Amino acid sequence: DEETRKDYDYMLDHPEEYYRHYYHYYSRRLAPKVDVTIVILVTVCAISVFQFFSWWSSYNEAINYLASVPKYRIQATEIARQQGLLNKTREKGKNRRSKEEIREEEEEIIKDIIKNKIDIKGGYQKPKIYDILLFQILLAPFYWCKYVVWYCWWIYCFTIKGQEYGLEEKLYIIRRYMKMSQSQFDSLEDHQKETFLERQLWIRENYEVYKREQEEELKKKMAMDPRWKRYRRWMKNEGPGRLSFIDD
């Protein structure tokens, strides 16, 4: 091609610059033959597929765990009986099935009821196609524009007009103070959020007091924890990386 021909002509005119010639030769020989855009696209798609199936695996693990908890299992079994779903699994005559088949079908019915009745939040929530990396990249301009519009609305309502915060705005400020993601905050119990609101933690001074209280409580728990005591004792007596010159 033309680029290679130019390098060749330059080499004939300047044979003494052999290091430069070596560099251009191997840079062209070892240059990737595949378009970088295609490589990036395939990588993003592969990561997205892995994300989606990994989240599905975590979600199924959570469902299997809840199905083994007596509290949720009893409730799901009672709902299944009320809806007549368990009676269908015990058919007689030609449609009669083995006990193993009946047990597996009843297990699937209980899991389906748990999926529909319990809203799992946090890292084990039901995966959504729009949360994977590919869609996040494609929808990034939309999310950015949405954030700019929301931020302008926030400044106008609460900074310029001085309106009072609503419930969602208070919880948003508390979540930002705690440096938690939306999924992490949603996974908290309702009584915890009610405590945050009762103590008015959307006010910075109140949150600082609450934070210090939590830190002191954590220190007390760690001081009373026997495992933490053993660790401190080991750090005091042995410590990491302690050198010894005593002969064996």
Side-chain angles (χ1 to χ4, degrees):
D1 56 53
E2 287 298 324
E3 293 297 326
T4 307
R5 185 179 297 277
K6 289 180 181 179
D7 288 340
Y8 182 73
D9 293 338
Y10 185 86
M11 181 194 69
L12 295 177
D13 295 335
H14 305 82
E16 71 282 356
E17 299 180 11
Y18 46 88
Y19 289 117
R20 182 181 184 279
H21 306 325
Y22 271 118
Y23 168 75
H24 282 277
Y25 172 74
Y26 284 107
S27 64
R28 296 192 183 281
R29 284 290 301 272
L30 302 177
K33 302 298 188 296
V34 182
D35 189 358
V36 177
T37 305
I38 298 177
V39 175
I40 295 175
L41 181 60
V42 172
T43 304
V44 171
C45 291
I47 294 174
S48 302
V49 171
F50 175 78
Q51 276 184 325
F52 189 73
F53 283 102
S54 177
W55 288 340
W56 261 114
S57 177
S58 299
Y59 176 69
N60 289 328
E61 287 180 7
I63 295 297
N64 292 333
Y65 171 75
L66 293 176
S68 65
V69 177
K71 172 184 175 182
Y72 300 109
R73 189 175 185 86
I74 292 172
Q75 293 179 0
T77 304
E78 186 63 27
I79 294 173
R81 286 201 183 98
Q82 293 175 1
Q83 296 178 356
L85 299 175
L86 296 181
N87 298 330
K88 296 179 181 180
T89 62
R90 302 179 183 275
E91 297 176 348
K92 298 181 180 180
K94 295 181 180 180
N95 296 327
R96 186 175 182 180
R97 286 164 292 179
S98 64
K99 293 182 179 180
E100 185 67 23
E101 291 176 341
I102 294 174
R103 189 187 66 80
E104 291 178 358
E105 188 170 347
E106 289 179 351
E107 190 71 18
E108 290 300 323
I109 291 173
I110 291 173
K111 289 180 181 180
D112 289 338
I113 292 175
I114 291 176
K115 289 179 183 179
N116 296 327
K117 297 297 181 180
I118 298 180
D119 183 19
I120 301 176
K121 298 178 181 179
Y124 293 91
Q125 64 183 358
K126 188 174 183 179
K128 298 178 182 178
I129 192 69
Y130 295 106
D131 291 337
I132 64 176
L133 179 61
L134 178 61
F135 282 93
Q136 289 292 309
I137 294 175
L138 295 176
L139 297 175
F142 169 75
Y143 290 142
W144 174 251
C145 294
K146 184 178 178 181
Y147 174 77
V148 171
V149 172
W150 172 85
Y151 187 75
C152 293
W153 169 83
W154 183 282
I155 295 295
Y156 174 75
C157 291
F158 303 114
T159 303
I160 299 176
K161 297 184 67 176
Q163 295 181 3
E164 293 186 1
Y165 296 126
L167 178 61
E168 293 184 1
E169 288 76 26
K170 292 176 181 177
L171 292 176
Y172 170 77
I173 296 174
I174 295 172
R175 179 175 68 83
R176 291 295 301 271
Y177 285 162
M178 293 183 172
K179 298 180 180 179
M180 300 175 67
S181 64
Q182 187 65 54
S183 60
Q184 289 175 327
F185 194 77
D186 291 340
S187 63
L188 297 177
E189 299 291 339
D190 292 336
H191 67 86
Q192 291 179 287
K193 298 178 183 178
E194 292 175 0
T195 302
F196 298 159
L197 295 173
E198 289 175 359
R199 298 195 57 174
Q200 299 182 349
L201 296 188
W202 66 88
I203 301 175
R204 187 74 187 188
E205 292 77 10
N206 296 343
Y207 173 74
E208 293 296 335
V209 173
Y210 173 81
K211 183 179 178 182
R212 287 194 294 270
E213 292 176 357
Q214 293 298 309
E215 291 175 351
E216 290 297 327
E217 185 177 351
L218 179 61
K219 290 179 181 178
K220 291 180 181 178
K221 288 182 179 180
M222 294 176 67
M224 300 300 295
D225 189 352
R227 292 177 297 180
W228 183 247
K229 288 181 179 178
R230 289 196 299 268
Y231 175 75
R232 290 203 310 269
R233 192 161 51 247
W234 176 80
M235 288 292 293
K236 181 179 179 180
N237 298 330
E238 301 291 336
R242 182 179 294 273
L243 298 177
S244 175
F245 295 95
I246 300 176
D247 296 333
D248 293 334

